[in-house]
Amino acid sequence: MDKTLVVIPSKCTGCGTCKLACAMIKGKGEAIARSRIHIYTTSPDEHVQLTCLQCVEAACVKVCTTGALVRNELTGAIAVNDDRCIGCALCETACPFGHMHFDTQRGKPEKCDLCLGNPACAQFCPHGALVYR
Amino acid sequence: MFIRIDGKQVEVKKWDTVLSAARRAGIQIPSLCYHPALETAGACRVCIVEVFEKGWSERKQVTACEYKVQPDLEVYTRSESVLKTRRTTIDLLMARAPQNAALQALSKNVEYPQTIYPPVADAGDCVLCLLCTRACEQMGCNAISVSGRGDTRKIEPPYGANPDACIGCGACARICPTGCIALTETPATITIWGKVFERLHCVTCGAPMMSIAYRDYAVANRELPEDYYTQCQECKRKEVTARFAGLSMKVHHG
């Protein structure tokens, strides 16, 4: 784990390319609402991108009883192991930052896993507001 | 330690079962009730295989999910007798849930499109795979279990009444492969197993969240305190935004 996804709100223009990239890669292009990165506009020239912080002592990991949320040693990201998940949905409410997305159709949560070390959002951000370094 | 699955040499650990060893080696054995995070039940019998150990006079049929590996074990996953048993098993399961997509997909596996058995009345699509009871046990609630024997065997709360231990988490309904457990969510309530749960609402925007009973259970049995369960996802994100926004302004104006 030698790289981090750095969010630089001061450079963000709110264009939404990161959301689109995330939805295309992670949501299989289904809906931009399934993006795991969000942009909030606080004033006309201020936008804040938010995604999973990959907490060191993560609330989602603490409440999971089946070991379905595991940190990937290479990327440092916490990823969902669908096979081990029983769909109790507690991780969604437990996340203090609102970055667990429970897919009610599949009965499994979805979260940012840093695309296994090549985050699409950072790759596609045209303004350098998301950097993986 | 090595075993042979369909003639292919596979390295195994001593705690492996035939199914876990096969999955790791990329060999597909169809299964329905197996779940890596739950106790093995051997309830559906779909993962049946033939095994042969040194010194035996003939092969034996066993469930791959339960059979512990032995040195030099030989496993046959697609022999004629295995396919025949598996087909009958899936046929019998399909009689309980004829229209179910998960079972239809399994039945394609044995190239048999429809069950030859008459549909079981009152089965309600339940194939008694016990995933729901095991998920409930994993949650620590044990609100539902098997009752009855033979053709009256079914899954229900104790005495068929409103389950006291149920917290309305919905894990049983979501894990059910045939989707036969009714979970009804309205903005105010969650209804499951005949019990109506009042829902928690986001303190900021009032959006419906988990049941109050689930929140209370989680606070008592998991590590996190009550204030983790007060806001909805959207409101939590907005709160974080406010803090980040302040931060970015500081960067702007030095």
Side-chain angles (χ1 to χ4, degrees):
Chain A
M1 191 204 153
D2 45 4
K3 282 184 170 182
T4 328
L5 181 65
V6 184
V7 175
I8 310 164
S10 57
K11 287 190 179 177
C12 180
T13 63
C15 70
T17 310
C18 55
K19 285 172 72 174
L20 193 60
C22 186
M24 290 303 283
I25 303 275
K26 292 301 186 184
K28 304 275 185 289
E30 269 179 30
I32 202 153
R34 289 186 65 178
S35 162
R36 298 164 195 193
I37 186 160
H38 304 263
I39 301 175
Y40 288 91
T41 302
T42 49
S43 72
D45 57 354
E46 189 180 59
H47 313 274
V48 180
Q49 325 96 303
L50 293 177
T51 187
C52 176
L53 304 172
Q54 318 291 357
C55 312
V56 175
E57 275 196 36
C60 55
V61 175
K62 277 187 181 171
V63 296
C64 183
T65 61
T66 63
L69 290 162
V70 197
R71 192 179 299 276
N72 182 318
E73 291 299 327
L74 287 173
T75 60
I78 298 163
V80 184
N81 180 349
D82 275 359
D83 285 347
R84 291 194 71 85
C85 174
I86 58 168
C88 74
L90 194 55
C91 53
E92 188 191 39
T93 333
C95 175
F97 308 108
H99 295 304
M100 290 299 287
H101 312 279
F102 196 78
D103 180 357
T104 43
Q105 291 268 304
R106 288 191 313 125
K108 311 271 182 200
E110 290 173 343
K111 75 177 287 300
C112 170
D113 61 357
L114 294 177
C115 298
L116 299 172
N118 186 20
C121 51
Q123 216 179 322
F124 283 88
C125 177
H127 308 292
L130 286 164
V131 193
Y132 191 57
R133 65 181 178 210
Chain B
M1 186 159 61
F2 289 94
I3 65 170
R4 293 183 81 81
I5 304 179
D6 291 337
K8 188 183 164 194
Q9 184 128 322
V10 173
E11 192 175 4
V12 296
K13 304 271 185 280
K14 66 176 179 199
W15 54 81
D16 265 330
T17 61
V18 172
L19 189 63
S20 63
R23 289 263 162 106
R24 193 160 357 97
I27 298 166
Q28 288 303 317
I29 299 175
S31 72
L32 184 73
C33 78
Y34 174 74
H35 196 290
L38 301 177
E39 207 176 314
T40 313
C44 73
R45 322 304 289 178
V46 171
C47 69
I48 207 108
V49 291
E50 271 190 313
V51 291
F52 184 80
E53 279 181 36
K54 225 184 262 176
W56 288 6
S57 58
E58 56 182 17
R59 299 179 190 172
K60 241 199 269 188
Q61 282 195 355
V62 298
T63 45
C65 68
E66 289 180 304
Y67 203 80
K68 291 270 185 300
V69 293
Q70 307 288 333
D72 301 320
L73 184 76
E74 282 183 46
V75 182
Y76 305 88
T77 70
R78 293 193 65 85
S79 72
E80 204 176 310
S81 88
V82 164
L83 288 183
K84 204 175 152 192
T85 311
R86 197 178 286 155
R87 179 176 304 166
T88 311
T89 306
I90 294 173
D91 254 10
L92 287 165
L93 292 174
M94 281 187 85
R96 297 185 62 90
Q99 303 304 326
N100 188 259
L103 288 179
Q104 303 263 357
L106 265 183
S107 79
K108 279 202 190 93
N109 208 300
V110 288
E111 294 110 28
Y112 204 77
Q114 271 303 319
T115 178
I116 53 167
Y117 299 101
V120 177
D122 307 329
D125 274 12
C126 175
V127 294
L128 297 165
C129 69
L130 309 187
L131 274 170
C132 54
T133 58
R134 285 179 286 153
C136 194
E137 196 182 334
Q138 177 69 36
M139 289 303 292
C141 298
N142 292 303
I144 46 171
S145 60
V146 183
S147 75
R149 291 285 180 272
D151 63 351
T152 60
R153 190 172 156 92
K154 61 177 173 184
I155 309 292
E156 61 175 10
Y159 308 106
N162 286 356
D164 284 343
C166 181
I167 52 174
C169 71
C172 54
R174 293 191 199 99
I175 206 165
C176 178
T178 64
C180 72
I181 300 172
L183 171 72
T184 318
E185 289 178 306
T186 70
T189 60
I190 294 172
T191 311
I192 192 162
W193 296 110
K195 193 172 169 183
V196 183
F197 293 92
E198 207 177 309
R199 280 180 96 155
L200 197 67
H201 291 91
C202 171
V203 290
T204 314
C205 73
M209 292 160 56
M210 71 216 300
S211 77
I212 291 175
Y214 193 11
R215 192 270 317 268
D216 294 344
Y217 181 82
V219 170
N221 294 283
R222 305 283 190 268
E223 282 178 52
L224 304 176
E226 193 170 330
D227 53 1
Y228 274 77
Y229 306 104
T230 51
Q231 272 179 318
C232 73
Q233 300 278 293
E234 181 76 16
C235 289
K236 281 175 179 170
R237 289 198 291 265
K238 281 184 180 157
E239 207 178 280
V240 180
T241 304
R243 289 187 208 172
F244 268 57
L247 223 73
S248 87
M249 290 310 279
K250 274 177 212 151
V251 173
H252 263 303
H253 305 295

